[in-house]
Amino acid sequence: MPIRALVFDVFGTLVDWRSGVAREVERLLGNDHPGLDGGSVADAWRARYQPSMEEIRAGRRAWADLDTLHGESLDDVLGQFGLSVSPGVRYELVLAWHRLDAWPEVPGALTRLRERFLLAPLSNGHVALMIALARRNRIAWDAILGAEFARDYKPKPEVYLRAVQALGCRPADVLMVACHSSDLAAAAACGLSTAHVARPDEHGPGRGEIKPEAPVDFIAADLSDLARQLNA
């Protein structure tokens, strides 16, 4: 069966989380903390991403959305950097993850792909977060799937399989698109088709995956390249 739908990792694959978070950190804290390196804060915050979700994946904690987890991780990061902020600034910092910009080719490539395929995010971000990023970057989705829909976090199989079910497809008919080989390996284990998109600067210049570290069905230099390979 041909590919009928594409589902996407979002943070890193579609949006440049590091630059966006660094920008917001420096905007909100820079006046009180001259010379603060927003990139270092973003890196420290992201380093707490997987550990925070693991508590839920392991069943040690009830479901909580990414805003909640980001807020809890932020408190640790602020302590690490010796920063003190008001509740209002803390709230705005959490919303930094809602104000991320897409990589330059992404909106146009998604518009092309949507002419041929069903499209949905398959992210660890919750629905409100996915809506904010879509509106900011003028992205039109056919559905919003992922963590909140499955009430669990990738790479748990339920997250991928619930998305396939919601789209009315077989696993192989759905193409998981990501710049993280671990995400793609988990999707492939559930029977999904997979596409790796290189994001060599995800974690800063020269600090991202340039090629897959697991078998995939498509290897693309960016999302426009993937659209070309899919004849979109």
Side-chain angles (χ1 to χ4, degrees), residues 37-227:
D37 181 1
S40 294
V41 176
D43 290 339
W45 203 350
R46 182 69 172 184
R48 290 163 169 78
Y49 179 69
Q50 291 294 340
S52 68
M53 293 184 292
E54 183 58 27
E55 292 299 301
I56 294 168
R57 287 192 292 246
R60 293 188 292 267
R61 177 178 181 177
W63 163 260
D65 68 27
L66 209 53
D67 280 356
T68 300
L69 300 183
H70 276 153
E72 294 169 356
S73 297
L74 175 61
D75 294 336
D76 291 339
V77 172
L78 293 173
Q80 176 184 336
F81 285 84
L83 302 170
S84 178
V85 303
S86 69
V89 170
R90 179 186 181 278
Y91 174 76
E92 289 298 320
L93 284 168
V94 171
L95 289 183
W97 296 90
H98 293 233
R99 302 186 185 114
L100 306 177
D101 294 330
W103 299 106
E105 89 286 357
V106 164
L110 288 176
T111 297
R112 290 161 53 195
L113 287 163
R114 193 162 181 256
E115 293 179 1
R116 292 201 60 202
F117 305 101
L118 298 172
L119 303 184
L122 184 53
S123 172
N124 283 327
H126 50 291
V127 173
L129 177 47
M130 292 299 101
I131 290 172
L133 293 177
R135 290 178 66 85
R136 180 180 180 87
N137 293 289
R138 298 184 179 183
I139 294 170
W141 296 120
D142 294 298
I144 295 179
L145 305 172
E148 188 169 17
F149 184 76
R151 309 296 282 185
D152 210 339
Y153 284 107
K154 295 188 295 182
K156 294 288 285 295
E158 184 73 6
V159 184
Y160 305 98
L161 294 175
R162 286 289 303 277
V164 170
Q165 180 183 38
L167 292 168
C169 295
R170 302 185 316 171
D173 303 337
V174 178
L175 183 66
M176 178 72 203
V177 183
C179 67
H180 309 121
S181 295
S182 58
D183 197 356
L184 295 172
C190 294
L192 279 72
S193 301
T194 53
H196 184 274
V197 174
R199 292 298 179 203
D201 299 327
E202 180 191 358
H203 296 273
R207 296 171 53 210
E209 284 192 24
I210 60 174
K211 60 183 180 180
E213 299 170 0
V216 297
D217 298 297
F218 297 89
I219 300 174
D222 60 18
L223 201 60
S224 290
D225 183 31
L226 179 63

